Amino acid sequence: MLQKIIFLSFIFALVSCSEANRPTSEQEIKVSTSRPIGNQQNEGDRSTIAHVRIVDLDQDGLQDVLVCDVLGQSVGWIRQQLDGSYEERPILENINGAVHAEAIDIDGDTDLDVVIAAMGVILPSDAKLGKIFILENDGNEKFNRRIIAENIERVTDVQAGDLDGDGDMDLSVAQFGYTKGRVQWFRNDGDWVFTPQLLINRSGAIHAPIVDIDNDGDLDILALLSQEWETVYAFINEGEGVFVTKILHDVADADFSSSGIEVVDLDQDGDSDVVWTNGDAVVTTDYRPLPTHGLQWLENHGDLEFEFHRIGQMDGAYGPCAIDMDGDGDFDIVTVAEFAYWDNPETRSIVWWEQIEDMQFVPHTIAKRPTHLVTCDAGDMDSNGSADIVVGGMALYPPFEHITRVSLFNNDGLVEEVWNESKSYPVSVQERLAVAKNAGEKGMILQANGFDSRGAYRAAMEEDPKNAKWPFYLGILDLRLGDSTSALAMFEIAEKLDSSYAPLQARIGELYVGMDKREKAKVKFLEASTDYAKVMLARLEAENGNWPEVIRILDGVDIQAGSALVLTANAILNGDKERKIPAIDMGFQMKDPWLDEVEEECVLASHLVTQAQNDYIAGDIDSAMRLLRRAIELDTSDKDARLALSNILLRSDQLTPVTLREAITHLEAGLIADPAYVMTRTKYGWALYLAQRFAEAEEVWTSVIIDEPLHAVVLSNLGQLKLVQKNYSASYEYYKKALSVPEDSPFALSGSLPLRGATLYRFALAAKNLGKKDEALNALIIAADYSPSDADIQFELGNIYIGMQKFNDALAPIELANAITPNKPRILAALGYTWFNLKNTARAIDFLERSIHLAPTFALAWYHLGNAQLAHGDSSAARESFTMAVQLQPKFVPAREALSKLN
């Protein structure tokens, strides 16, 4: 399922490794038959299947499939018929964000019930939208819906097992949340009542499988935490519901992008191992894989000691599913790809990792179509003795030509194709390697451009054994692949050669944290003494609740992550116990001059864009722009580099007539390279809009809507364009359509609440101008909740209450608007008018006089001041105010009439 998608508030095109970094030697396998099963998608649909699970739900001897359909707001049962066909019917409807389903006998009546995890929305949110359902089977596959928990952090996984040894089924629950999440177990108290028990209070939980991981006869819970943590936890059952926390493996890299685990005795030695994929994507302008995506496993050596093994690279790897695919008696692994380069027809969508001797795995491409696969399961669907594969598609980004909802791949025999042994480097890399002075420099060139540099660095360690950079770079390579143990070994070698390099000390400290060696980590962070290390040190103190020490450590640290921790510390010390420790992930990156030297060796445009992405996230805008310009020089047809640079140039803090012209130039060049690319077209329309080339902007955006009718961002842009042109009817309709696009659609509005609030605000303006005051009011109430610090929204909310003569309701939002942006004449005048209608003429006069002092030509404020003065008994002053209003605006009829009455 979709586990982790981080929507950042900036807009930036992400690109990762080039084709050169993909596996170049693998066998290609064809499965003889494949077909869609269950309900078929209509033309133009974008499938959003979060999970599939093979199970004989009705226990008739034929395997069926449970399917979680996010946009369909349902959990379906795809039932296999006697003739081998499949029919789907919903077993749970009108459910938001159902993402995981398991069939198990919860109530002990021998039939299979269904346990369901629901996130509410799959896009990032800290809103408590999560729910847990159990569908109680009556024995005839009619299901009684029972809500076990609701209004909790977004739930990604629910598993069942007898955790407290009392003979009934309890639940393990993973709650991803966003910056606030947790892992819990729910004790079964009988009569469908379950009581939650906290295991860990951290965001990013993906899976929570139940297994006897220590082979002591009771059930434990494992949990995979992604996002900033990238850690596999074990909660060891001590009996009677008491669990002890143990870290099985931690990756000290927030970009590792965990996407799933499965617990299985992979090496068949009698204990449980962990199969683990990393293939999630960071989302900004578009989705892109990372070069470190792939598959690995944790080998269980007993006594809760696990060894990390990298299996192989795969863009966007999800799954995983361990099963004997070839009938040779050992476990193979199947993975699918969600975030990959789908415009390349050679991109792998399903891979079978065949286990051969000595726990080695050989990858075979099962399929390249359908694309955008986020979930898979394997089992014998046709009862022929071999394992088949069921996949589910989640089409979050184009191209959409080869997407599926649910498909079955029957295993009717495997056919090997010829090995591909191509390992050539691009010409630009070959030229750079040809002038390299030594093995170390060759390693840096290969690393910078996405190729295997380990051999060169090992050679460099022999040639130049006193240089700490070579083991340091090897450690970085291990770190990014998730092999923390090997990374630490390399870093320790580097430390013996140069213990003064602060980033090295900080990285060792991070690895110690992941190994739960907190005191050793503190020593390393103190030795590093950089702002980054101080934040890491402060976070350790925060986890222990030592908030005064957090504030002391971060005194003088001027980076966003440190400021967030200080705000949290102050809030908690002031009594706000609900304030959570903020997530520290991709926006918080270490300055590392040695790695900067590697990046300077990059000669491939796509890798320069990846580097620019990292610099942008870290806040180094100048470096990001420099790298993007280099990428464009190297490859003038690189649409992603041009789009990424344009996104920076069009930022409000960068926008000038010069940057606007440059952005338009880059976007037009990007469209020459790929005229159909939706992201470029959308941004090009925005650039034209900013240039006030409204007709051209409308033409571009309209063409996007023809191709993608549910492109909410473009619909909203068109609404804004029509609002500026005062075509309120058209603006209203565009905004209405944009806001009706489901939140989990590929082109939904931003998950950012302030941005959604801004859209609702503009929709309210259009609705208000059409006389639809109730719709405008409702939109503004939600907008104010989404973005409480937006003065425009608060003022407009108060203003519409004024128009409805609800002055008591108007006062609070207008006062808030004044507090956010003080000394604005319109806001002060509105406050004065509100107080006048609340019969407090003294306060009304004060605010109106302040408004006029700031804006002496504000005729309406003079008129309201006159009315307040008159009500206060000062007719002389009122006469002067009405006179000024008429002088400033001679056709101001109410002011003229008021003056006439006084004369």
Side-chain angles (χ1 to χ4, degrees):
M1 59 164 286
L2 181 65
Q3 313 297 358
K4 167 200 163 198
I5 301 183
I6 303 179
F7 282 78
L8 304 178
S9 58
F10 54 86
I11 301 174
F12 189 83
L14 287 180
V15 180
S16 188
C17 65
S18 68
E19 292 300 310
N21 201 37
R22 310 271 173 83
T24 57
S25 178
E26 69 172 48
Q27 292 171 295
E28 183 163 320
I29 302 300
K30 290 184 178 179
V31 175
S32 58
T33 58
S34 65
R35 55 179 166 139
I37 59 173
N39 295 336
Q40 302 305 298
Q41 59 189 16
N42 298 317
E43 186 177 356
D45 284 353
R46 307 292 188 246
S47 61
T48 52
I49 302 304
H51 187 235
V52 294
R53 177 64 79 217
I54 295 173
V55 61
D56 183 3
L57 188 61
D58 53 2
Q59 302 181 71
D60 64 352
L62 299 173
Q63 295 288 353
D64 312 311
V65 179
L66 289 174
V67 54
C68 294
D69 188 334
V70 174
L71 281 183
Q73 295 184 301
S74 67
V75 175
W77 172 24
I78 303 178
R79 184 182 184 187
Q80 185 172 177
Q81 308 300 304
L82 291 174
D83 62 0
S85 63
Y86 292 86
E87 294 182 2
E88 180 176 351
R89 73 173 175 90
I91 58 174
L92 180 64
E93 295 183 278
N94 301 316
I95 173 64
N96 293 325
V99 293
H100 198 99
E102 296 287 348
I104 191 169
D105 182 8
I106 293 289
D107 51 7
D109 61 357
T110 73
D111 55 28
L112 293 177
D113 311 299
V114 181
V115 184
I116 297 168
M119 297 181 76
V121 294
I122 61 173
L123 300 183
S125 174
D126 272 327
K128 293 187 175 182
L129 303 171
K131 292 184 179 181
I132 301 170
F133 294 89
I134 296 178
L135 302 185
E136 180 190 3
N137 192 339
D138 70 350
N140 296 304
E141 287 67 57
K142 292 182 180 178
F143 296 92
N144 179 24
R145 184 176 80 165
R146 296 187 179 275
I147 299 178
I148 303 305
E150 57 185 334
N151 301 320
I152 60 177
E153 286 94 347
R154 299 182 306 153
V155 182
T156 49
D157 190 18
V158 181
Q159 304 285 337
D162 184 3
L163 293 167
D164 53 7
D166 63 355
D168 56 22
M169 287 290 184
D170 310 298
L171 305 175
S172 68
V173 179
Q175 294 172 243
F176 188 95
Y178 183 44
T179 63
K180 305 172 186 178
R182 59 187 66 195
V183 180
Q184 302 189 94
W185 75 280
F186 280 60
R187 186 184 63 242
N188 188 341
D189 293 326
D191 296 325
W192 301 101
V193 175
F194 290 78
T195 302
Q197 313 286 325
L198 181 66
L199 293 171
I200 192 169
N201 191 6
R202 283 189 172 178
S203 61
I206 294 175
H207 292 313
I210 294 175
V211 61
D212 182 6
I213 196 66
D214 54 1
N215 274 358
D216 66 350
D218 55 23
L219 293 176
D220 312 298
I221 300 172
L222 266 57
L224 174 59
L225 271 63
S226 64
Q227 203 162 258
E228 62 176 315
W229 309 109
E230 304 296 348
T231 304
V232 178
Y233 282 92
F235 303 98
I236 305 303
N237 195 339
E238 298 288 293
E240 298 182 357
V242 176
F243 291 86
V244 175
T245 302
K246 168 76 173 177
I247 294 175
L248 300 188
H249 190 80
D250 176 87
V251 179
D253 183 358
D255 297 347
F256 188 65
S257 307
S258 293
S259 56
I261 58 173
E262 182 173 23
V263 182
V264 63
D265 186 2
L266 191 64
D267 54 6
Q268 297 180 311
D269 65 351
D271 54 26
S272 295
D273 309 300
V274 180
V275 182
W276 185 358
T277 53
N278 62 312
D280 200 23
V282 179
V283 180
T284 50
T285 299
D286 208 348
Y287 301 74
R288 290 292 186 269
L290 296 174
T292 50
H293 282 176
L295 176 66
Q296 40 274 316
W297 70 291
L298 303 180
E299 180 182 1
N300 189 343
H301 289 302
D303 296 324
L304 296 175
E305 295 296 327
F306 286 78
E307 181 180 358
F308 179 96
H309 300 281
R310 177 73 169 182
I311 294 176
Q313 194 274 350
M314 181 184 183
D315 284 352
Y318 269 74
C321 180
I323 195 168
D324 184 2
M325 285 294 295
D326 51 4
D328 63 355
D330 56 24
F331 281 106
D332 308 305
I333 304 170
V334 177
T335 54
V336 293
E338 166 66 4
F339 302 111
Y341 294 96
W342 297 120
D343 50 358
N344 178 357
E346 296 304 308
T347 296
R348 306 173 295 173
S349 61
I350 307 175
V351 172
W352 161 44
W353 304 81
E354 179 193 6
Q355 185 180 158
I356 55 176
E357 67 279 355
D358 299 324
M359 294 306 298
Q360 299 299 305
F361 293 83
V362 176
H364 306 283
T365 300
I366 294 291
K368 300 171 184 175
R369 302 286 186 271
T371 62
H372 304 80
L373 302 179
V374 78
T375 178
C376 70
D377 200 6
D380 187 1
M381 296 294 292
D382 51 11
S383 302
N384 69 349
S386 60
D388 309 302
I389 302 170
V390 175
V391 299
M394 183 170 283
L396 295 174
Y397 65 110
F400 299 118
E401 287 82 2
H402 302 287
I403 61 176
T404 189
R405 188 171 177 271
V406 180
S407 286
L408 166 63
F409 285 75
N410 285 112
N411 184 352
D412 293 339
L414 307 174
V415 181
E416 291 191 3
E417 292 191 354
V418 180
W419 287 75
N420 177 8
E421 294 288 355
S422 173
K423 294 183 180 179
S424 61
Y425 299 131
V427 172
S428 57
V429 175
Q430 293 181 42
E431 291 174 346
R432 185 68 191 89
L433 287 169
V435 297
K437 299 173 183 176
N438 50 54
E441 191 171 320
K442 287 181 179 179
M444 295 169 69
I445 295 166
L446 292 171
Q447 180 182 350
N449 293 284
F451 296 97
D452 185 3
S453 55
R454 293 179 184 275
Y457 283 142
R458 291 191 185 102
M461 288 178 67
E462 294 182 4
E463 290 178 3
D464 187 12
K466 294 184 179 181
N467 193 331
K469 290 181 181 179
W470 314 135
F472 175 77
Y473 292 148
L474 281 168
I476 290 294
L477 293 175
D478 289 331
L479 191 70
R480 290 177 174 172
L481 292 177
D483 193 343
S484 301
T485 302
S486 294
L488 179 59
M490 287 293 106
F491 288 155
E492 287 176 338
I493 292 172
E495 184 185 29
K496 291 177 182 178
L497 298 170
D498 186 351
S499 61
S500 66
Y501 188 53
L504 171 60
Q505 299 294 342
R507 293 186 189 280
I508 293 174
E510 287 183 306
L511 288 167
Y512 281 149
V513 171
M515 296 171 182
D516 210 19
K517 299 177 180 179
R518 302 301 175 94
E519 294 306 314
K520 295 183 74 171
K522 289 179 181 180
V523 171
K524 293 302 175 185
F525 292 142
L526 286 169
E527 289 177 0
S529 194
T530 61
D531 281 355
Y532 182 96
K534 290 177 182 178
V535 171
M536 298 303 297
L537 186 62
R539 189 164 72 168
L540 290 177
E541 298 296 342
E543 290 176 3
N544 292 327
N546 193 352
W547 299 107
E549 184 66 6
V550 169
I551 295 172
R552 187 196 67 79
I553 291 170
L554 295 175
D555 183 33
V557 174
D558 186 23
I559 55 178
Q560 184 176 359
S563 301
L565 273 174
V566 170
L567 286 172
T568 299
N570 285 323
I572 290 176
L573 290 173
N574 290 330
D576 182 1
K577 303 298 184 184
E578 292 299 314
R579 191 69 177 261
K580 298 293 192 301
I581 301 172
I584 301 173
D585 46 24
M586 291 199 64
F588 176 52
Q589 296 192 19
M590 186 187 307
K591 292 186 180 299
D592 193 329
W594 285 2
L595 278 185
D596 291 343
E597 291 179 27
V598 173
E599 292 179 356
E600 289 299 320
E601 299 292 344
C602 184
V603 292
L604 295 180
S606 60
H607 286 268
L608 287 168
V609 178
T610 300
Q611 293 173 23
Q613 158 203 319
N614 293 330
D615 288 345
Y616 185 94
I617 292 169
D620 193 343
I621 305 301
D622 291 339
S623 177
M625 294 178 71
R626 177 179 60 82
L627 291 170
L628 291 169
R629 294 185 196 284
R630 271 185 61 196
I632 293 168
E633 288 176 6
L634 289 170
D635 184 358
T636 58
S637 66
D638 193 314
K639 65 183 181 186
D640 293 304
R642 291 186 181 275
L643 178 58
L645 181 57
S646 298
N647 285 326
I648 296 176
L649 294 170
L650 295 176
R651 280 176 31 147
S652 59
D653 61 346
Q654 299 286 327
L655 188 62
T656 67
V658 174
T659 62
L660 178 58
R661 286 194 296 271
E662 184 183 354
I664 290 174
T665 299
H666 287 302
L667 292 165
E668 288 175 343
L671 288 172
I672 291 173
D674 186 352
Y677 191 41
V678 172
M679 302 303 176
T680 306
R681 292 159 66 194
T682 300
K683 184 59 64 172
Y684 182 51
W686 182 249
L688 293 172
Y689 170 83
L690 293 175
Q692 298 188 16
R693 293 161 60 178
F694 295 148
E696 293 172 82
E698 182 175 2
E699 182 180 0
V700 170
W701 284 334
T702 301
S703 74
V704 173
I705 293 302
I706 291 172
D707 294 340
E708 297 293 342
L710 295 181
H711 200 307
V713 175
V714 170
L715 288 167
S716 177
N717 289 346
L718 284 164
Q720 183 169 337
L721 172 60
K722 293 302 178 183
L723 187 65
V724 168
Q725 295 175 328
K726 298 185 178 181
N727 185 342
Y728 301 117
S729 178
S731 177
Y732 171 86
E733 292 300 329
Y734 279 126
Y735 278 126
K736 193 84 169 177
K737 290 178 182 177
L739 292 165
S740 69
V741 173
E743 289 185 60
D744 292 321
S745 296
F747 298 110
L749 290 170
S750 169
S752 164
L753 293 184
L755 290 176
R756 293 186 72 87
T759 302
L760 284 163
Y761 164 69
R762 291 190 292 270
F763 167 68
L765 294 180
K768 178 182 175 182
N769 279 284
L770 293 174
K772 301 177 184 290
K773 290 188 177 180
D774 288 340
E775 281 191 79
L777 177 61
N778 290 335
L780 287 168
I781 290 172
I782 299 171
D785 183 54
Y786 285 169
S787 188
S789 60
D790 190 312
D792 290 335
I793 293 174
Q794 296 293 346
F795 174 72
E796 194 59 44
L797 177 58
N799 213 21
I800 202 165
Y801 277 130
I802 289 173
M804 301 170 76
Q805 302 292 300
K806 295 182 177 181
F807 298 104
N808 281 312
D809 294 325
L811 185 60
I814 296 177
E815 285 187 329
L816 182 55
N818 185 50
I820 297 167
T821 56
N823 299 321
K824 298 293 183 181
R826 290 177 68 240
I827 296 176
L828 293 169
L831 268 176
Y833 182 63
T834 300
W835 281 115
F836 169 72
N837 284 280
L838 293 174
K839 311 304 181 185
N840 190 330
T841 56
R843 298 199 72 176
I845 290 170
D846 176 53
F847 281 111
L848 288 163
E849 285 180 341
R850 287 161 59 187
S851 174
I852 289 167
H853 176 74
L854 293 168
T857 60
F858 193 175
L860 184 62
W862 281 107
Y863 171 68
H864 288 325
L865 177 61
N867 284 324
Q869 291 166 332
L870 190 62
H872 203 61
D874 192 345
S875 57
S876 176
R879 183 180 293 105
E880 292 179 7
S881 296
F882 291 142
T883 300
M884 282 297 300
V886 172
Q887 289 177 354
L888 290 168
Q889 194 171 323
K891 295 182 180 180
F892 195 166
V893 175
R896 294 178 66 88
E897 291 177 348
L899 183 61
S900 177
K901 289 178 181 179
L902 285 176
N903 291 331

